[in-house]
Amino acid sequence: MSDRILRNVIGGESVESATDTYLDLIDPATEEVYGRAPVSTAAEIDAAYAAASSAFRHWGRTTPAERQLALFRLADAMAERADEFADLESQDTGKPRATLVADEIDQSVDQLRFFAGAARDLNGRSAGEYLAGHTSYVRREPIGVIGQVTPWNYPLNMAVWKIAPAIAAGNTVVLKPSDTTPLATVRLAELAAEILPAGVLNVVMGDRTTGAALLQHPTPQMVAITGSVRAGMEVAKAASSDLKRVHLELGGKAPAIVFPDADPQTVAEGLVLAAYFNAGQDCTAATRVIVHESVHDEVVAALVARAATHAVTGGPREEGVFYGPLNNAAQLERVSGIVDRLPAHAEIVAGGARQGDRGYFFPATIVTGMRQEDEAVQEEIFGPVLTVQTFRTEEEALALANGVRYALASSVWTSDHGRAMRFSRDLDFGCVWINTHIPFVSDMPHGGFKHSGYGKDLSHYGFEDYTRLKHVMSYIG
């Protein structure tokens, strides 16, 4: 057992917790304990919010140029320590270490730089005389103190998605990382403490109860979470009693609709990447292949072959590994349970059971013969499991794709431009990819509809979510 004990970052200082309760940090690849994180006390949450409130009085009035420079410096500091952050992220998650810098650390740096630029590009209606004798203009202002909670699937990326737009807009933050993956987020806060004024970014650790206390605290004017639908509903309900603004990025159940004019090998290459990257622990992962019945067998054969050669799971330092273990024992139990409960009409054509007896590894799994009402079709699995359904007509394909409660991401695979445009209009998802699935850029919004939540991450739209509008009118005679 490691003697590494993590500390909260409050008011620009690394602070040892006064708690009696610590959580073991468990390596998902070995199931060994490598450290402990505190379950922060109510007093520590109070202290973090007090620090954020005090910092906001100054930070909220800094110029966009000052905020931009600070975020650029933070991005540069992260880039200089890319290997350190990759080591921390790999330890927490079990992700393949060889590709982490390119896959995730570089993206976090880019996202910090994007929002640094956005800080100096706030837009609004131009000043003018909309009422005779009066001049009106619009101020776009920071909201205040923001409470945030991030998940375990992309710990560092999700922390950056949350803090970068909030801080760029002039807000201050109290953030709780997932209880199983706090390392990189705490290190980011320690680094930020050397660059940002004390209290602009505060990180407190803990469990689900800690997160609820942080989000229900009376101080924040806005709360933001990336997490499950259940968690999002609880946050929205609690926030309503205090009329807090709410930003929710929740689950997904992304369909990939495959038409006969799509090349099966190209489809398999794209969907194996999109289904199994990060062990399928991605809200936008391709999870439901909806394929025209005339090419079902050919597409499934291509998927199975591609998964066998490219979707290899193993430890973070093993060669030739595409994805690592599931994050924790509870997630392994969830994925295994859904697969074990598959109905009799379903057929597992690849994978299907835990790999090995040490670590939370689950192989690339493909299940055919699925029906719309099946649990594995309707519920987010959040693991390396791909289900396959068939359709005959465009109308049926669209009904199957939209026939779930989630609405985050989707894709359509076809060489027919008109069909692609129709589906981009009619698919009820926050993102529609055409002949690809899962790429992200900092410049474009990420967020869904229905039970996938509301509000946008990334892009200028995500930046604007962390601002408020004020109308100023002056009598000019």
Side-chain angles (χ1 to χ4, degrees), residues 124-130 134-138 471-472:
R125 184 183 291 272
S126 61
E129 287 66 56
Y130 300 95
H134 299 75
T135 295
S136 288
Y137 69 94
V138 172
H471 168 217
V472 179

Side-chain angles (χ1 to χ4, degrees), residues 85-97 100 316-317:
F85 275 103
D87 287 341
L88 295 172
E89 200 79 335
S90 184
Q91 172 71 87
D92 260 350
T93 64
K95 297 180 183 184
R97 174 61 183 82
L100 255 175
R317 300 283 176 175

